[in-house]
């Protein structure tokens, strides 16, 4: 069930008929509620993360099948280090477990792995798992599965500003050369090129916060909040979120009346 209660968003929950021409090209997801799901099942919190990892596999395939170009998943934030050591340790081992079992499927589905975040601060074994997966899928030309790992939106913006300041100091650019395009190019999503900004941001588990996720990039994203915990997220929930997205008119601050005027 969705929290949004606008009329068009409550429309027909039975049949989900998506407009194949209006599939969001970049979907970003804040995967929340693993802990609450586990608590509800009388399981330790890490069981929620384990189940969440399996759901990532399903949703990756579902998004790729729908024709999504980039799927960005918030797997570990710069704030998540504050969690108990055992939980952080478990989360750090998840990329290895995930890629060990899932890289063949990624290759079969032509999906390329990318990572944003401060990867060099992760344990060596996590870095290794991530780098191997990136290398093994580097030639794939389909959807980009973009993990945000040790990522924080404010830090990303600060790092980008530092990089631009250095370019000014080096005499490569002048302060007045810094515009939105150049700033975007200094962010971690730069390699996603025209898909750098999410069209649709989904957060699970009923929370309606951004939690320091893609602060620059979500300037014009549509937000959809669903109350399923991430371990209960399914391809049907994904499709409903896309249906809500398609029911909205994105105007990017302009006056365009219909969706064909987008982008
Ligand atoms: C938020 O739920 C979830 C996380 C901080 C971790 C997300 C990780 C996964 C979904 C596993 C997949 C990861 C990989 C690398 C494949 P929470 O623990 O904050 O839940 P709560 O708010 O109910 O406590």
């Amino acid at each position: 069930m969705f929290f949004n209660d606008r009329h068009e968003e409550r429309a027909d929950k039975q049949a989900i008929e998506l407009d194949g021409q209006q599939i969001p090209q970049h979907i970003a997801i804040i995967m929340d509620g693993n802990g609450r799901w586990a608590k509800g099942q009388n399981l330790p919190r890490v069981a929620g993360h384990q189940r969440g990892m399996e759901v990532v596999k399903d949703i990756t395939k579902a998004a790729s099948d729908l024709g999504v170009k980039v799927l960005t998943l918030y797997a570990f934030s710069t704030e998540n280090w504050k969690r108990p050591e055992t939980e952080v340790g478990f989360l750090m081992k998840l990329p290895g477990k995930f890629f060990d079992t899932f890289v063949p499927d990624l290759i079969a589905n032509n999906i390329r792995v990318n990572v944003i975040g401060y990867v060099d601060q992760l344990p060596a074994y996590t870095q290794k798992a991530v780098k191997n997966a990136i290398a093994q899928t580097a030639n794939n030309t389909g959807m980009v599965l973009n993990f945000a790992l040790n990522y924080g939106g404010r830090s990303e913006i600060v790092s980008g500003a530092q990089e631009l300041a250095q370019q000014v100091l080096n005499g490569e650019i002048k302060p007045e050369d810094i515009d939105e395009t150049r700033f975007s190019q200094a962010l971690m999503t730069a390699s996603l090129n025209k898909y750098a900004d999410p069209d649709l941001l989904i957060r699970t588990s009923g929370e309606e916060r951004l939690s320091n996720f893609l602060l620059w990039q979500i300037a014009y994203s549509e937000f959809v909040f669903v109350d399923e915990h991430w371990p209960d997220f399914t391809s049907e929930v994904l499709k409903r979120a896309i249906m809500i997205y398609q029911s909205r008119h994105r105007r990017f601050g302009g006056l365009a009346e219909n969706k064909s005027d987008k982008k």
Side-chain angles (χ1 to χ4, degrees):
M1 188 184 146
F2 291 97
F3 274 19
N4 316 63
D5 61 358
R6 293 203 328 226
H7 175 69
E8 77 275 19
E9 292 171 0
R10 277 184 281 130
D12 193 8
K13 289 193 171 178
Q14 306 304 315
I16 304 173
E17 280 186 33
L18 295 177
D19 175 354
Q21 302 303 309
Q22 300 289 343
I23 298 295
Q25 295 181 310
H26 181 171
I27 299 180
I29 308 183
I30 303 175
M31 307 180 290
D32 197 9
N34 291 352
R36 275 162 284 172
W37 178 89
K39 197 175 173 197
Q41 312 273 327
N42 272 324
L43 294 168
R45 288 181 58 79
V46 292
H49 299 317
Q50 178 74 32
R51 170 78 199 135
M53 182 186 83
E54 297 303 326
V55 172
V56 168
K57 295 178 184 174
D58 295 343
I59 298 308
T60 297
K61 283 193 207 161
S64 168
D65 289 347
L66 285 167
V68 171
K69 306 287 187 201
V70 177
L71 178 66
T72 298
L73 301 176
Y74 205 5
F76 194 87
S77 77
T78 46
E79 287 73 37
N80 285 152
W81 296 107
K82 294 179 202 149
R83 294 185 176 212
E85 214 178 305
T86 47
E87 185 173 343
V88 170
F90 189 90
L91 287 169
M92 286 300 133
K93 294 208 172 77
L94 275 186
K97 286 187 193 171
F98 178 80
F99 292 124
D100 273 356
T101 51
F102 199 52
V103 163
D105 290 82
L106 291 172
I107 292 169
N109 287 279
N110 196 24
I111 297 168
R112 181 165 68 81
V113 174
N114 189 62
V115 172
I116 55 172
Y118 297 91
V119 177
D120 55 345
Q121 294 167 9
L122 298 171
Y125 54 85
T126 314
Q127 291 192 42
K128 193 172 166 218
V130 163
K131 283 175 187 163
N132 283 346
I134 291 172
Q136 287 168 306
T137 61
N139 295 328
N140 293 347
T141 54
M143 190 181 83
V144 176
L145 174 59
N146 185 36
F147 278 108
L149 267 180
N150 195 23
Y151 172 87
R154 286 187 174 180
S155 295
E156 178 193 32
I157 291 170
V158 169
S159 297
Q162 287 174 346
E163 187 183 314
L164 291 167
Q166 192 61 52
Q167 289 175 18
V168 171
L169 209 61
N170 296 346
E172 292 158 21
I173 57 169
K174 297 191 182 73
E176 57 269 31
D177 292 332
I178 299 172
D179 58 10
E180 290 187 15
T181 302
R182 207 177 278 273
F183 210 102
S184 297
Q185 285 163 356
L187 298 177
M188 295 167 176
T189 44
S191 70
L192 301 172
N193 300 312
K194 65 176 177 172
Y195 303 124
D197 299 342
D199 302 292
L200 169 61
L201 175 91
I202 301 170
R203 183 169 187 149
T204 63
S205 208
E207 306 295 342
E208 302 193 5
R209 286 188 299 279
L210 287 176
S211 299
N212 205 12
F213 193 38
L214 300 174
L215 297 180
W216 171 279
Q217 295 87 342
I218 46 87
Y220 289 103
S221 306
E222 292 290 337
F223 296 176
V224 173
F225 302 103
V226 304
D227 63 5
E228 281 86 355
H229 297 314
W230 177 252
D232 287 329
F233 197 87
T234 62
S235 59
E236 288 305 296
V237 185
L238 175 67
K239 283 189 206 160
R240 288 193 199 288
I242 295 175
M243 188 178 69
I244 290 173
Y245 165 87
Q246 292 187 342
S247 75
R248 294 179 186 166
H249 292 256
R250 298 176 74 206
R251 295 188 302 224
F252 297 94
L255 294 173
E257 281 300 311
N258 70 54
K259 286 183 267 187
S260 61
D261 291 332
K262 278 177 30 175
K263 283 190 173 173

